[in-house]
Amino acid sequence: MKTVALGAYILDVLVRPVTEIPAGQDAALVEEIRLAPAGAAGGTAVTLAKLGADVHAAGAVGRDTLGDVLIEMLEQYGVHTDRLARRDDLQTSSSVIPIRPTGERPALHVIGANLSYTPGDAPLDLIAAADFLHVGGPELLGETAELVLKAAKDAGATTSVDVLADGWPELLDMIAPALPYVDWITPNDEQAKRLTGEADIESAAAVLIELGAGGVIVTCGADGVLIVTPDGQTRVPAFEIEVIDTSGCGDAFVAGFLRGLSLGERPADAARLGSATAALVAQGTGSDHGEFDLQRVQAFASSTPMREPAQG
């Protein structure tokens, strides 16, 4: 499974648990502070590599210490980084994430080099040879998103897109030209509704299908996922786990889902593999949590109870 993960690459600084920010110059003791490679492309790249895919990173990072650390961490997981563009005048995108005891994670974020990626940076030769192209954060890429997705489709690759921002109608206008070249778009429930202005995820997914997306998977946290294609819709429940941190769970789901598709699984079965992958990541801190491979994820998926399917 040769995959190009193109788009947002971020270095996360994660702090857990955080119940409040200390006043003034006061300090608070926490259990854990760690770094993790992240982003809608970076987090997916790491997990795909864990699952045995041949993964090539494409995006922009600063020529700074943050970028050096991010690249080193990606390479430790087996991700090829030679197609990452380095910027002398911009810092590497980074977030500081205080994780609440519930697993929720507000963020302080610098966009940095992620916004500087151009059509001239796109590795079209690599994309033409890939089986899969995943674009994470198309809203940061402008016309580059449509360019690379069309190139991948023309070459016969499976394409996927995951939006990074919270979502708003103007954002949908930005990415709409690329949707006819997208096999799967994977917003979360709030993103889907905010992007389309619809009140429910079923209607939101229908809008994305009408705009050209081949299929929509709406991730809904503990309520599992909704898969929508022109042929109908299916719900896949989440697994029963104790959540520590939800950082990167959406990226992990996408990685597991795409890996399932590469094995010839039906979308619902691939989504179950994606949910299992996300569940393993959620039981620790950071997008790269968990020493697992494909076999362990498959074993987890076959042996762990799932929640009751969401209704409505």
Side-chain angles (χ1 to χ4, degrees):
M1 177 190 184
K2 185 172 183 177
T3 304
V4 176
L6 188 152
Y9 281 82
I10 301 169
L11 185 67
D12 278 353
V13 182
L14 302 122
V15 185
R16 183 185 70 85
V18 177
T19 56
E20 61 182 355
I21 303 299
Q25 297 190 67
D26 292 347
L29 296 178
V30 296
E31 296 178 11
E32 184 179 19
I33 299 176
R34 69 179 300 266
L35 303 177
T44 302
V46 165
T47 305
L48 274 168
K50 287 184 181 183
L51 298 176
D54 177 23
V55 186
H56 297 257
V61 300
R63 198 176 299 279
D64 54 10
T65 302
L66 292 173
D68 292 342
V69 171
L70 176 55
I71 287 173
E72 180 182 354
M73 296 186 79
L74 290 167
E75 291 177 345
Q76 286 174 351
Y77 287 108
V79 177
H80 303 285
T81 63
D82 56 298
R83 296 303 186 96
L84 285 173
R86 302 297 298 264
R87 303 295 193 230
D88 293 321
D89 56 342
L90 293 168
Q91 78 156 81
T92 298
S93 179
S94 185
S95 295
V96 176
I97 302 179
I99 302 166
R100 298 186 176 114
T102 59
E104 296 176 320
R105 43 166 182 63
L108 305 172
H109 181 63
V110 173
I111 293 178
N114 274 331
L115 203 57
S116 71
Y117 202 72
T118 69
D121 295 313
L124 297 180
D125 59 331
L126 188 63
I127 290 169
D131 304 305
F132 287 78
L133 170 68
H134 175 67
V135 175
E139 67 272 26
L140 303 176
L141 299 175
E143 62 181 340
T144 306
E146 181 181 0
L147 169 72
V148 296
L149 287 161
K150 183 179 186 302
K153 286 300 295 178
D154 288 347
T158 298
T159 59
S160 57
V161 162
D162 192 20
V163 176
L164 184 62
D166 290 339
W168 59 91
E170 291 78 12
L171 190 155
L172 181 56
D173 293 337
M174 293 166 58
I175 67 173
L179 289 180
Y181 309 110
V182 175
D183 291 312
W184 295 99
I185 184 170
T186 58
N188 64 38
D189 47 1
E190 289 303 315
Q191 285 173 328
K193 290 186 286 188
R194 290 172 181 171
L195 276 173
T196 62
E198 297 292 335
D200 60 81
I201 59 175
E202 292 84 0
S203 299
V207 169
L208 297 173
I209 294 288
E210 289 171 5
L211 289 172
V216 181
I217 300 184
V218 185
T219 58
C220 305
D223 291 328
V225 301
L226 173 70
I227 305 171
V228 180
T229 71
D231 297 325
Q233 58 182 256
T234 306
R235 284 190 177 267
V236 177
F239 288 90
E240 288 281 3
I241 60 163
E242 181 179 350
V243 174
I244 298 298
D245 172 28
T246 59
S247 298
C249 286
D251 305 328
F253 170 84
V254 172
F257 175 73
L258 296 179
R259 190 69 176 102
L261 291 182
S262 79
L263 299 172
E265 294 183 352
R266 296 177 304 129
D269 294 326
R272 182 182 175 91
L273 190 70
S275 293
T277 309
L280 288 169
V281 170
Q283 294 178 71
T285 306
S287 300
D288 62 341
H289 173 74
E291 296 182 3
F292 55 79
D293 56 15
L294 177 61
Q295 289 69 35
R296 184 179 170 190
V297 175
Q298 290 172 326
F300 178 92
S302 64
S303 64
T304 306
M306 303 188 85
R307 294 174 177 266
E308 290 296 321
Q311 300 297 320

